[in-house]
Amino acid sequence: MEGRPGRILISHDEITARVTELGEAIRHDYAGRAPVLVGVLKGAVIFAADLIRTIRLPVSLDFMSVSSYGSGTRSSGVVRLSADLSTSIEGRDVIIVEDIIDTGRTISYLRRNLATRHPRSLALCVLLDKVARREVDVAVDYIGFVIPDEFVVGYGLDHDGLHRNLRHIAVFEHGRAP
Ligand code: IMP
Ligand code: MG
């Protein structure tokens, strides 16, 4: 489907300020520990890269890749693990870092998957939360922004693989590009 990034929903400055707050909250909550951040590819890569630099603790970083979307803007409801962690998380304090929660299916699958590996603790940090679209209950520990039910792109989030490189978060406008 054609379209393009339109109205700015969250500016780069607002993102930076909020990410810093999240990093400080994590530092406070995990004082004396060395958490491992698990970024969910590909959408969370920009967020994870910024977030890790705001956490003044010994943190490590790993990634997993899951996909629940085809090329459109509606969830298929099917979650597939396409790349796994490179290290064990047994006994570790794990923080899943995700770009956005929509229906909640992706994150609830990930939570269940990681929980079977016996981490010491398992928390969830998400940049954007579309609460109105939730179909599966998930407990989120750190939320950047609650957003309305609109498809957004930028700051890691894509439509059909594009627009991840925008510095801000924009509402995706469907229709033919001019
Ligand atoms: P859920 O499984 O329905 O919660 O979908 C979560 C996944 O769908 C996210 O990890 C994103 O990859 C994708 N997604 C959901 N909403 C949006 C959006 O507005 N823009 C871009 N990707 C989205
Ligand atoms: Mg994603």
Side-chain angles (χ1 to χ4, degrees):
M1 200 185 303
E2 294 187 63
R4 58 183 164 148
R7 178 169 54 87
I8 295 178
L9 191 64
I10 308 170
S11 72
H12 181 72
D13 286 350
E14 289 173 300
I15 296 169
T16 303
R18 188 66 188 129
V19 170
T20 303
E21 288 176 358
L22 292 175
E24 280 165 6
I26 289 170
R27 175 176 63 106
H28 174 264
D29 296 349
Y30 288 81
R33 292 186 276 167
V36 48
L37 302 196
V38 172
V40 185
L41 295 172
K42 301 171 189 166
V45 73
I46 311 280
F47 176 37
D50 281 348
L51 181 66
I52 194 170
R53 283 176 283 181
T54 69
I55 305 174
R56 287 182 287 120
L57 285 176
V59 290
S60 35
L61 180 62
D62 207 337
F63 291 99
M64 275 176 102
S65 182
V66 290
S67 40
S68 65
Y69 269 45
S71 61
T73 58
R74 286 293 158 199
S75 178
S76 64
V78 179
V79 182
R80 195 169 55 90
L81 178 66
S82 38
D84 206 348
L85 298 174
S86 63
T87 50
S88 167
I89 55 163
E90 189 174 345
R92 301 293 306 273
D93 291 299
V94 174
I95 306 172
I96 303 172
V97 178
E98 174 62 309
D99 52 357
I100 187 166
I101 305 188
D102 186 26
T103 63
R105 289 185 197 283
T106 305
I107 213 64
S108 82
Y109 166 83
L110 263 179
R111 235 187 205 287
R112 275 182 280 119
N113 183 300
L114 294 185
T116 64
R117 307 180 193 198
H118 308 293
R120 178 175 176 213
S121 66
L122 186 55
L124 173 59
C125 176
V126 60
L127 181 67
L128 305 175
D129 190 355
K130 279 192 208 174
V131 279
R133 301 237 327 140
R134 196 63 37 84
E135 291 171 15
V136 179
D137 242 359
V138 271
V140 189
D141 303 274
Y142 305 94
I143 299 175
F145 304 91
V146 171
I147 63 162
D149 179 13
E150 294 186 280
F151 198 85
V152 293
V153 294
Y155 196 70
L157 292 118
D158 74 303
H159 178 268
D160 219 356
L162 294 177
H163 313 304
R164 297 191 196 276
N165 52 329
L166 287 177
R167 286 160 56 86
H168 58 269
I169 290 166
V171 175
F172 187 79
E173 288 169 0
H174 295 283
R176 195 166 285 277

